[in-house]
Coordinates of all heavy atoms in Angstrom, one line a residue:
M25 N 140.5 154.7 140.3 CA 139.5 155.3 139.4 C 140.1 155.3 137.9 O 139.3 154.8 137.1 CB 139.2 156.7 139.8 CG 138.3 157.4 138.9 SD 136.6 156.8 139.2 CE 135.7 158.0 138.3
Q26 N 141.3 155.7 137.7 CA 141.8 155.7 136.4 C 141.9 154.2 135.8 O 141.6 154.0 134.7 CB 143.3 156.3 136.4 CG 143.9 156.3 135.1 CD 143.2 157.2 134.1 OE1 142.5 158.1 134.5 NE2 143.3 156.9 132.8
H27 N 142.2 153.3 136.6 CA 142.3 151.9 136.2 C 140.9 151.4 135.7 O 140.9 150.7 134.7 CB 142.7 151.0 137.4 CG 142.8 149.6 137.0 ND1 143.7 149.0 136.2 CD2 142.0 148.5 137.4 CE1 143.5 147.7 136.1 NE2 142.5 147.4 136.8
Q28 N 139.8 151.8 136.4 CA 138.5 151.4 136.0 C 138.2 152.1 134.6 O 137.5 151.4 133.7 CB 137.5 151.8 137.1 CG 136.0 151.4 136.8 CD 136.0 149.9 136.7 OE1 136.6 149.2 137.5 NE2 135.1 149.4 135.8
V29 N 138.5 153.3 134.4 CA 138.3 154.0 133.2 C 139.0 153.3 132.1 O 138.4 153.0 131.0 CB 138.6 155.5 133.2 CG1 138.7 156.1 131.9 CG2 137.8 156.2 134.2
E30 N 140.2 152.9 132.3 CA 141.0 152.2 131.2 C 140.4 150.8 131.0 O 140.3 150.4 129.8 CB 142.5 152.1 131.7 CG 143.2 153.4 131.7 CD 144.6 153.2 132.2 OE1 145.0 152.1 132.7 OE2 145.3 154.2 132.3
A31 N 140.0 150.1 131.9 CA 139.3 148.8 131.7 C 138.0 148.9 131.0 O 137.8 148.2 130.1 CB 139.1 148.1 133.1
N32 N 137.2 150.0 131.3 CA 136.0 150.2 130.5 C 136.3 150.5 129.1 O 135.6 150.1 128.2 CB 135.1 151.3 131.2 CG 134.5 150.9 132.5 OD1 134.4 149.7 132.7 ND2 134.1 151.8 133.3
D33 N 137.3 151.5 128.9 CA 137.6 151.8 127.4 C 138.1 150.5 126.8 O 137.7 150.4 125.5 CB 138.8 152.8 127.5 CG 138.3 154.2 127.8 OD1 137.1 154.4 127.8 OD2 139.1 155.0 128.1
R34 N 138.9 149.7 127.3 CA 139.4 148.5 126.6 C 138.2 147.5 126.3 O 138.1 147.0 125.3 CB 140.4 147.8 127.6 CG 141.3 146.8 126.8 CD 142.4 146.3 127.8 NE 143.1 147.3 128.5 CZ 143.3 147.3 129.9 NH1 142.8 146.3 130.6 NH2 143.9 148.3 130.5
S35 N 137.3 147.5 127.3 CA 136.1 146.6 127.1 C 135.2 147.1 126.0 O 134.7 146.4 125.2 CB 135.3 146.6 128.5 OG 134.1 145.8 128.3
Q36 N 135.0 148.4 126.0 CA 134.2 149.0 124.9 C 134.9 148.9 123.6 O 134.2 148.7 122.6 CB 133.9 150.5 125.3 CG 133.0 150.8 126.4 CD 132.9 152.2 126.9 OE1 133.6 153.0 126.4 NE2 132.0 152.4 127.8
R37 N 136.2 149.1 123.6 CA 136.9 148.9 122.3 C 136.8 147.5 121.8 O 136.6 147.4 120.6 CB 138.4 149.3 122.5 CG 139.3 149.5 121.3 CD 140.6 150.1 121.5 NE 141.3 149.8 122.7 CZ 141.4 150.7 123.7 NH1 141.0 151.8 123.6 NH2 141.9 150.3 124.9
Q38 N 136.9 146.5 122.7 CA 136.8 145.1 122.3 C 135.4 144.9 121.7 O 135.1 144.2 120.7 CB 137.1 144.2 123.4 CG 137.0 142.8 123.1 CD 138.2 142.3 122.2 OE1 139.1 143.0 122.0 NE2 138.1 141.0 122.0
A39 N 134.4 145.4 122.3 CA 133.0 145.2 122.0 C 132.8 145.8 120.6 O 132.1 145.2 119.7 CB 132.0 145.8 123.0
R40 N 133.4 147.0 120.3 CA 133.2 147.6 119.0 C 133.9 146.8 117.9 O 133.3 146.6 116.8 CB 133.8 149.0 119.0 CG 133.6 149.8 117.7 CD 134.2 151.1 117.7 NE 135.6 151.2 118.3 CZ 136.8 150.8 117.6 NH1 136.7 150.3 116.4 NH2 137.9 150.9 118.2
I41 N 135.1 146.2 118.2 CA 135.8 145.4 117.3 C 135.0 144.2 116.9 O 134.8 143.8 115.7 CB 137.2 145.0 117.9 CG1 138.1 146.3 117.8 CG2 137.8 143.9 117.1 CD1 139.4 146.1 118.7
I42 N 134.4 143.6 117.9 CA 133.6 142.3 117.7 C 132.3 142.7 116.9 O 132.0 142.0 116.0 CB 133.2 141.7 119.1 CG1 134.4 141.1 119.7 CG2 132.2 140.6 118.9 CD1 134.3 140.7 121.2
K43 N 131.7 143.8 117.2 CA 130.4 144.2 116.6 C 130.7 144.5 115.1 O 129.9 144.2 114.3 CB 129.8 145.4 117.3 CG 128.5 145.9 116.6 CD 128.0 147.1 117.4 CE 126.7 147.6 116.8 NZ 126.2 148.8 117.4
E44 N 131.8 145.1 114.8 CA 132.1 145.5 113.5 C 132.8 144.5 112.6 O 133.1 144.7 111.4 CB 133.0 146.8 113.5 CG 132.2 148.0 114.1 CD 133.1 149.2 114.1 OE1 134.3 149.2 113.9 OE2 132.4 150.2 114.5
A45 N 133.2 143.4 113.2 CA 133.9 142.3 112.5 C 133.0 141.8 111.3 O 131.9 141.6 111.5 CB 134.3 141.1 113.4
L46 N 133.8 141.4 110.3 CA 133.1 140.9 109.1 C 132.4 139.6 109.3 O 133.0 138.7 109.9 CB 134.2 140.7 108.0 CG 133.8 140.5 106.5 CD1 132.9 141.7 106.1 CD2 135.0 140.4 105.7
L47 N 131.1 139.4 108.9 CA 130.4 138.1 109.1 C 130.9 137.1 108.0 O 131.0 137.4 106.8 CB 129.0 138.5 108.8 CG 128.0 137.2 108.9 CD1 128.0 136.7 110.3 CD2 126.6 137.6 108.5
I48 N 131.4 136.0 108.5 CA 132.0 134.9 107.7 C 130.9 133.9 107.4 O 130.8 133.4 106.3 CB 133.1 134.3 108.4 CG1 134.2 135.3 108.7 CG2 133.7 133.1 107.5 CD1 134.8 136.1 107.6
A49 N 130.1 133.5 108.5 CA 129.1 132.5 108.3 C 128.1 132.6 109.4 O 128.2 133.4 110.4 CB 129.7 131.1 108.3
T50 N 126.9 131.9 109.2 CA 125.9 131.9 110.3 C 125.5 130.4 110.5 O 125.6 129.6 109.6 CB 124.7 132.6 109.9 OG1 124.1 132.2 108.6 CG2 124.9 134.1 109.9
V51 N 125.1 130.1 111.8 CA 124.7 128.8 112.1 C 123.3 128.6 111.6 O 122.5 129.4 111.9 CB 124.7 128.6 113.6 CG1 124.2 127.2 114.0 CG2 126.2 128.7 114.1
T52 N 123.0 127.6 110.8 CA 121.7 127.3 110.3 C 121.1 126.1 111.1 O 119.8 126.1 111.2 CB 121.7 126.9 108.9 OG1 122.5 125.8 108.6 CG2 122.1 128.1 107.9
E53 N 121.9 125.3 111.7 CA 121.3 124.1 112.5 C 122.5 123.8 113.5 O 123.6 123.7 113.2 CB 121.1 123.0 111.5 CG 120.4 121.8 112.1 CD 120.2 120.7 111.1 OE1 120.0 121.0 109.9 OE2 120.1 119.6 111.5
W54 N 122.0 123.4 114.7 CA 122.8 122.8 115.7 C 122.3 121.5 116.1 O 121.1 121.4 116.4 CB 122.8 123.8 116.9 CG 123.4 123.3 118.2 CD1 122.9 123.0 119.4 CD2 124.8 122.8 118.3 NE1 123.7 122.5 120.2 CE2 125.0 122.3 119.6 CE3 125.9 122.8 117.5 CZ2 126.2 121.9 120.1 CZ3 127.1 122.3 118.0 CH2 127.3 121.8 119.2
S55 N 123.1 120.5 116.1 CA 122.8 119.2 116.4 C 123.5 118.9 117.8 O 124.6 118.4 117.8 CB 123.3 118.2 115.4 OG 123.0 116.8 115.8
P56 N 122.8 119.1 118.9 CA 123.4 118.9 120.3 C 123.8 117.4 120.5 O 124.8 117.2 121.1 CB 122.4 119.4 121.3 CG 121.1 119.4 120.5 CD 121.4 119.6 119.0
G57 N 123.0 116.5 120.1 CA 123.2 115.1 120.2 C 124.6 114.6 119.6 O 125.3 113.8 120.1
D58 N 124.8 115.2 118.4 CA 126.0 114.8 117.6 C 127.1 115.8 117.8 O 128.3 115.6 117.4 CB 125.6 114.7 116.1 CG 124.6 113.6 115.8 OD1 124.8 112.5 116.5 OD2 123.7 113.7 115.1
G59 N 126.8 117.0 118.3 CA 127.8 118.0 118.7 C 128.4 118.7 117.5 O 129.6 118.9 117.4
F60 N 127.6 119.1 116.4 CA 128.1 119.8 115.3 C 127.1 120.9 114.9 O 125.9 120.8 115.2 CB 128.6 118.9 114.2 CG 127.4 118.2 113.5 CD1 126.8 118.9 112.4 CD2 127.1 116.9 113.8 CE1 125.7 118.2 111.8 CE2 126.0 116.3 113.2 CZ 125.4 116.9 112.1
A61 N 127.7 121.8 114.2 CA 126.7 122.8 113.5 C 126.8 122.9 112.1 O 127.9 122.6 111.5 CB 127.2 124.3 114.1
V62 N 125.7 123.1 111.4 CA 125.7 123.3 110.0 C 125.7 124.8 109.7 O 125.0 125.6 110.4 CB 124.3 122.7 109.4 CG1 124.3 122.9 107.9 CG2 124.4 121.2 109.7
L63 N 126.5 125.2 108.8 CA 126.7 126.7 108.6 C 126.3 127.1 107.2 O 126.4 126.4 106.2 CB 128.2 127.0 108.7 CG 128.9 126.5 110.0 CD1 130.3 127.0 109.9 CD2 128.2 127.0 111.3
N64 N 125.9 128.4 107.1 CA 125.7 129.0 105.8 C 126.9 129.9 105.7 O 127.0 130.8 106.5 CB 124.4 129.7 105.8 CG 124.1 130.6 104.5 OD1 124.8 130.3 103.5 ND2 123.3 131.5 104.5
V65 N 127.7 129.6 104.7 CA 128.9 130.5 104.6 C 128.6 131.6 103.7 O 128.2 131.5 102.5 CB 130.1 129.5 104.0 CG1 131.4 130.4 103.7 CG2 130.4 128.4 104.9
H66 N 129.0 132.8 104.2 CA 128.8 134.0 103.4 C 130.1 134.5 102.7 O 130.0 135.1 101.7 CB 128.3 135.2 104.4 CG 127.2 134.9 105.1 ND1 125.9 135.1 104.7 CD2 127.0 134.4 106.4 CE1 124.9 134.6 105.5 NE2 125.6 134.2 106.6
R67 N 131.3 134.2 103.3 CA 132.5 134.6 102.7 C 133.4 133.4 102.5 O 134.1 133.0 103.4 CB 133.3 135.7 103.6 CG 132.3 136.9 103.7 CD 133.2 137.9 104.3 NE 133.5 139.2 103.7 CZ 133.2 139.7 102.5 NH1 132.7 138.9 101.7 NH2 133.6 140.9 102.2
H68 N 133.2 132.8 101.4 CA 134.0 131.5 101.1 C 135.4 131.6 101.1 O 136.1 130.7 101.5 CB 133.5 130.9 99.7 CG 132.0 130.5 99.8 ND1 131.7 129.2 100.3 CD2 130.9 131.0 99.4 CE1 130.4 129.0 100.2 NE2 129.9 130.2 99.7
E69 N 135.9 132.8 100.8 CA 137.4 133.0 100.8 C 138.0 133.0 102.2 O 139.2 132.8 102.4 CB 137.8 134.3 100.1 CG 137.4 135.6 100.8 CD 135.9 136.0 100.5 OE1 135.2 135.2 99.8 OE2 135.5 137.0 101.0
S70 N 137.2 133.1 103.2 CA 137.6 133.2 104.6 C 137.2 132.0 105.4 O 137.4 131.8 106.6 CB 137.0 134.4 105.3 OG 137.4 135.6 104.7
A71 N 136.7 131.0 104.8 CA 136.2 129.7 105.3 C 136.8 128.5 104.7 O 136.5 128.3 103.5 CB 134.7 129.6 105.3
Q72 N 137.6 127.8 105.4 CA 138.3 126.6 104.8 C 138.3 125.6 105.9 O 138.0 125.9 107.1 CB 139.7 126.9 104.4 CG 139.9 128.2 103.8 CD 140.9 128.3 102.7 OE1 141.8 127.6 102.6 NE2 140.7 129.3 101.8
E73 N 138.5 124.3 105.5 CA 138.6 123.2 106.5 C 139.7 123.6 107.5 O 140.8 124.0 107.1 CB 138.8 121.9 105.9 CG 137.7 121.3 105.2 CD 137.9 119.9 104.7 OE1 138.8 119.2 105.1 OE2 137.1 119.6 103.8
G74 N 139.4 123.5 108.8 CA 140.3 123.9 109.8 C 140.2 125.3 110.3 O 140.8 125.7 111.3
T75 N 139.5 126.2 109.6 CA 139.3 127.6 110.1 C 138.6 127.6 111.4 O 137.6 127.0 111.5 CB 138.5 128.4 108.9 OG1 139.3 128.4 107.8 CG2 138.3 129.9 109.4
V76 N 139.1 128.4 112.3 CA 138.4 128.6 113.6 C 137.6 129.9 113.5 O 138.2 130.9 113.1 CB 139.4 128.7 114.8 CG1 138.8 129.2 116.1 CG2 140.2 127.3 114.9
L77 N 136.3 129.9 113.9 CA 135.5 131.0 113.8 C 134.9 131.2 115.2 O 134.6 130.2 115.9 CB 134.3 130.8 112.9 CG 134.8 130.6 111.4 CD1 133.6 130.2 110.5 CD2 135.4 131.9 110.9
A78 N 134.8 132.5 115.6 CA 134.3 132.8 116.9 C 132.7 133.0 116.8 O 132.3 133.6 115.7 CB 134.8 134.1 117.4
I79 N 131.9 132.6 117.8 CA 130.5 132.8 117.7 C 130.2 134.2 118.4 O 130.5 134.4 119.5 CB 129.8 131.7 118.5 CG1 130.1 130.3 117.9 CG2 128.2 132.0 118.6 CD1 129.6 129.2 118.9
R80 N 129.6 135.1 117.6 CA 129.3 136.4 118.0 C 127.8 136.5 118.4 O 127.0 136.1 117.5 CB 129.7 137.4 116.9 CG 129.1 138.9 117.2 CD 129.6 139.8 116.2 NE 129.0 139.6 114.9 CZ 129.4 140.1 113.8 NH1 130.3 141.0 113.8 NH2 128.8 139.9 112.6
R81 N 127.5 137.0 119.6 CA 126.2 137.4 120.0 C 126.2 138.8 120.5 O 127.0 139.1 121.5 CB 125.6 136.5 121.1 CG 125.2 135.1 120.5 CD 124.1 134.5 121.3 NE 124.0 133.0 120.9 CZ 124.0 132.2 121.8 NH1 124.1 132.4 123.1 NH2 124.0 130.9 121.4
N82 N 125.5 139.6 119.9 CA 125.5 141.1 120.2 C 126.9 141.6 120.0 O 127.5 141.5 119.0 CB 125.0 141.3 121.7 CG 123.5 140.8 121.8 OD1 122.7 141.0 120.8 ND2 123.2 140.2 122.9
T83 N 127.6 142.0 121.2 CA 129.0 142.5 121.0 C 130.0 141.6 121.8 O 131.0 142.0 122.2 CB 129.1 143.9 121.5 OG1 128.6 143.9 122.9 CG2 128.2 144.9 120.7
G84 N 129.6 140.3 122.0 CA 130.4 139.4 122.8 C 130.7 138.2 122.0 O 130.0 137.8 121.0
I85 N 131.8 137.4 122.4 CA 132.2 136.1 121.9 C 131.7 135.1 122.9 O 132.1 135.2 124.1 CB 133.6 136.0 121.6 CG1 134.0 137.1 120.6 CG2 134.0 134.6 121.2 CD1 133.6 136.9 119.2
I86 N 131.0 134.1 122.5 CA 130.5 133.1 123.5 C 131.2 131.8 123.3 O 131.0 130.9 124.2 CB 129.0 132.9 123.4 CG1 128.5 132.5 122.0 CG2 128.2 134.2 123.8 CD1 127.4 131.5 122.1
G87 N 131.9 131.6 122.3 CA 132.7 130.3 122.0 C 133.2 130.3 120.6 O 133.2 131.3 119.9
Q88 N 133.8 129.1 120.3 CA 134.4 129.0 119.0 C 134.1 127.7 118.3 O 133.9 126.7 119.0 CB 135.9 129.1 119.1 CG 136.4 130.5 119.5 CD 137.9 130.6 119.5 OE1 138.6 129.6 119.4 NE2 138.3 131.8 119.7
L89 N 134.1 127.7 117.0 CA 133.8 126.5 116.2 C 134.9 126.3 115.2 O 135.5 127.3 114.8 CB 132.5 126.6 115.4 CG 131.2 126.7 116.2 CD1 130.0 127.0 115.2 CD2 130.9 125.5 117.0
K90 N 135.2 125.1 114.9 CA 136.2 124.8 113.8 C 135.6 124.1 112.7 O 134.9 123.1 112.8 CB 137.3 123.9 114.4 CG 138.5 123.7 113.6 CD 139.6 122.9 114.3 CE 140.8 122.8 113.5 NZ 141.9 122.1 114.2
I91 N 135.7 124.6 111.4 CA 135.1 124.0 110.2 C 135.8 122.7 110.0 O 137.0 122.6 109.9 CB 135.3 125.0 109.1 CG1 134.5 126.2 109.3 CG2 134.8 124.3 107.8 CD1 134.7 127.3 108.1
S92 N 135.0 121.6 109.9 CA 135.5 120.3 109.6 C 135.3 119.9 108.2 O 136.0 119.0 107.7 CB 134.8 119.3 110.6 OG 133.5 119.3 110.5
S93 N 134.2 120.3 107.5 CA 133.9 120.0 106.2 C 133.2 121.2 105.5 O 132.4 121.9 106.0 CB 132.9 118.9 106.2 OG 133.3 117.8 106.8
L94 N 133.6 121.4 104.2 CA 133.0 122.4 103.3 C 132.2 121.7 102.2 O 132.6 120.7 101.7 CB 134.1 123.3 102.7 CG 134.7 124.4 103.6 CD1 135.9 125.0 103.0 CD2 133.7 125.4 104.0
Y95 N 131.1 122.4 101.9 CA 130.3 122.0 100.7 C 130.0 123.1 99.9 O 130.2 124.4 100.3 CB 128.9 121.4 101.3 CG 129.2 120.2 102.3 CD1 129.2 120.4 103.6 CD2 129.5 118.9 101.8 CE1 129.4 119.4 104.5 CE2 129.8 117.9 102.7 CZ 129.8 118.1 104.0 OH 130.0 117.1 104.8
N96 N 129.4 123.0 98.7 CA 129.1 124.1 97.8 C 128.1 125.1 98.4 O 128.3 126.3 98.3 CB 128.5 123.6 96.5 CG 129.5 122.9 95.7 OD1 130.8 123.1 95.7 ND2 129.0 122.1 94.7
D97 N 127.2 124.5 99.3 CA 126.2 125.4 99.8 C 126.3 125.6 101.3 O 125.5 126.2 102.0 CB 124.8 124.9 99.5 CG 124.7 123.5 100.0 OD1 125.6 122.8 100.3 OD2 123.5 123.0 100.0
G98 N 127.5 125.3 101.9 CA 127.6 125.4 103.4 C 128.8 124.7 103.9 O 129.7 124.4 103.2
A99 N 128.8 124.5 105.2 CA 129.9 123.8 105.9 C 129.4 123.2 107.2 O 128.2 123.5 107.6 CB 130.9 124.8 106.3
V100 N 130.2 122.3 107.8 CA 129.9 121.7 109.1 C 131.0 122.1 110.0 O 132.2 122.1 109.6 CB 129.8 120.2 108.9 CG1 129.7 119.5 110.3 CG2 128.6 119.8 108.0
A101 N 130.8 122.4 111.2 CA 131.8 122.9 112.2 C 131.6 122.2 113.6 O 130.4 122.0 113.9 CB 131.7 124.4 112.3
D102 N 132.7 122.0 114.2 CA 132.6 121.4 115.5 C 133.0 122.4 116.6 O 133.9 123.2 116.4 CB 133.6 120.2 115.6 CG 133.3 119.2 114.5 OD1 132.2 118.7 114.4 OD2 134.3 118.7 113.8
P103 N 132.4 122.3 117.8 CA 132.7 123.2 118.9 C 134.1 123.0 119.4 O 134.5 121.8 119.3 CB 131.6 123.0 119.9 CG 131.1 121.6 119.6 CD 131.3 121.4 118.1
I104 N 134.8 123.9 119.8 CA 136.1 123.7 120.4 C 136.0 123.8 121.9 O 135.6 124.9 122.5 CB 137.1 124.9 119.9 CG1 137.3 124.8 118.4 CG2 138.5 124.7 120.6 CD1 138.1 126.0 117.8
P105 N 136.2 122.7 122.5 CA 136.0 122.6 124.0 C 136.9 123.6 124.7 O 138.0 124.0 124.3 CB 136.4 121.1 124.3 CG 136.3 120.4 123.1 CD 136.6 121.3 121.9
G106 N 136.3 124.1 125.8 CA 137.1 125.1 126.5 C 137.0 126.5 126.1 O 137.6 127.4 126.8
T107 N 136.3 126.8 125.0 CA 136.2 128.1 124.5 C 134.9 128.7 124.9 O 134.7 129.9 124.6 CB 136.4 128.2 123.0 OG1 135.3 127.5 122.3 CG2 137.8 127.7 122.6
F108 N 133.9 128.0 125.5 CA 132.5 128.4 125.7 C 132.5 129.0 127.1 O 132.9 128.4 128.1 CB 131.5 127.4 125.5 CG 131.3 127.0 124.0 CD1 132.2 126.3 123.3 CD2 130.3 127.7 123.4 CE1 132.0 126.0 122.1 CE2 130.0 127.4 122.0 CZ 130.9 126.6 121.3
L109 N 131.8 130.2 127.1 CA 131.6 130.8 128.5 C 130.9 129.9 129.4 O 129.8 129.4 129.0 CB 130.8 132.2 128.3 CG 131.6 133.3 127.6 CD1 130.6 134.5 127.4 CD2 132.8 133.7 128.3
G110 N 131.2 129.7 130.6 CA 130.6 128.9 131.6 C 130.8 127.4 131.3 O 130.3 126.5 132.1
G111 N 131.6 127.1 130.2 CA 131.9 125.7 129.9 C 130.8 124.9 129.2 O 131.1 123.8 128.8
S112 N 129.6 125.3 129.1 CA 128.5 124.6 128.5 C 128.4 125.1 127.0 O 128.4 126.2 126.7 CB 127.2 124.7 129.1 OG 126.8 126.0 129.2
L113 N 128.2 124.1 126.1 CA 128.1 124.5 124.7 C 126.7 125.2 124.5 O 125.7 124.8 124.9 CB 128.1 123.2 123.8 CG 129.3 122.3 123.9 CD1 129.1 121.2 122.9 CD2 130.5 123.2 123.5
D114 N 126.9 126.4 123.9 CA 125.7 127.2 123.7 C 125.7 127.7 122.3 O 126.3 128.8 121.9 CB 125.8 128.4 124.6 CG 124.6 129.4 124.6 OD1 123.5 128.8 124.0 OD2 124.6 130.5 125.0
V115 N 125.2 126.9 121.4 CA 125.2 127.2 119.9 C 123.8 127.3 119.6 O 123.0 126.3 119.9 CB 125.9 126.1 119.1 CG1 125.9 126.6 117.6 CG2 127.4 126.0 119.6
K116 N 123.3 128.3 118.8 CA 121.9 128.4 118.3 C 121.9 128.7 116.9 O 122.8 129.5 116.4 CB 121.3 129.5 119.2 CG 121.1 129.2 120.6 CD 120.5 130.3 121.3 CE 120.5 130.0 122.9 NZ 120.0 131.2 123.6
P117 N 120.9 128.2 116.2 CA 120.7 128.7 114.8 C 120.6 130.2 114.8 O 119.9 130.8 115.7 CB 119.3 128.1 114.4 CG 119.3 126.8 115.2 CD 119.8 127.2 116.5
G118 N 121.2 130.9 113.8 CA 121.2 132.4 113.8 C 122.5 133.0 114.3 O 122.7 134.1 114.1
D119 N 123.2 132.1 115.1 CA 124.5 132.7 115.6 C 125.4 133.1 114.5 O 125.5 132.5 113.4 CB 125.3 131.7 116.5 CG 124.7 131.5 117.9 OD1 124.0 132.4 118.3 OD2 125.0 130.5 118.5
E120 N 126.0 134.3 114.7 CA 127.0 134.8 113.6 C 128.4 134.4 113.9 O 128.8 134.3 115.1 CB 126.9 136.3 113.6 CG 125.5 136.8 113.2 CD 125.5 138.3 113.3 OE1 126.3 139.1 113.9 OE2 124.6 138.9 112.4
L121 N 129.1 134.1 112.9 CA 130.5 133.6 113.0 C 131.4 134.5 112.4 O 131.3 135.0 111.2 CB 130.6 132.2 112.4 CG 129.7 131.1 113.0 CD1 129.9 129.9 112.2 CD2 130.0 130.9 114.5
I122 N 132.5 134.9 113.1 CA 133.6 135.9 112.7 C 134.9 135.3 112.9 O 135.0 134.3 113.6 CB 133.4 137.2 113.4 CG1 133.6 137.0 114.9 CG2 132.0 137.9 113.1 CD1 133.7 138.4 115.7
I123 N 135.9 135.9 112.3 CA 137.3 135.5 112.6 C 137.5 136.0 114.0 O 137.2 137.1 114.3 CB 138.2 136.1 111.6 CG1 138.0 135.7 110.2 CG2 139.8 135.9 112.0 CD1 138.2 134.2 109.9
P124 N 138.1 135.2 115.0 CA 138.2 135.6 116.3 C 139.2 136.8 116.4 O 140.3 136.8 115.7 CB 138.9 134.4 116.9 CG 138.6 133.2 116.1 CD 138.5 133.8 114.7
P125 N 138.8 137.9 117.1 CA 139.6 139.0 117.3 C 140.8 138.7 118.2 O 140.8 137.9 119.1 CB 138.7 140.1 117.9 CG 137.6 139.3 118.5 CD 137.5 138.0 117.8
L126 N 141.9 139.4 117.9 CA 143.1 139.1 118.8 C 143.0 139.7 120.1 O 142.4 140.6 120.4 CB 144.3 139.7 118.1 CG 144.6 139.1 116.7 CD1 145.8 139.8 116.1 CD2 144.9 137.6 116.7

C-alpha cells in the first residue's frame, strides 16, 4: 500500500512539473511524409540548433524533437526516434514544446 502511495505521489509530482514547465515553442506544422515539424519559437534564448525539446500534451510527455534549423520567425525540428510512446511518431500542430524534465 505504501509503495502505491509513493508511486502515485511521484507520478503526480512529475505531472505537475511537466504542466508548469516553461513553454519554449509550439508546433505549427507537421510534415509526416518528410518527418519534420515547423515550430513557432516563443523563447529564443532557450532554442538553438541541436536543442532537444519534449512534446507536452496535457501533463505528459509523448516524445521529443531536436531543432535542426533556426529562422527569424521560427524553427524546424526532427523527431528523435525511440522517444515516442508506443513507438509511432505522434506530432500535431498545437503541440507544446518544453525543455525535457529530468
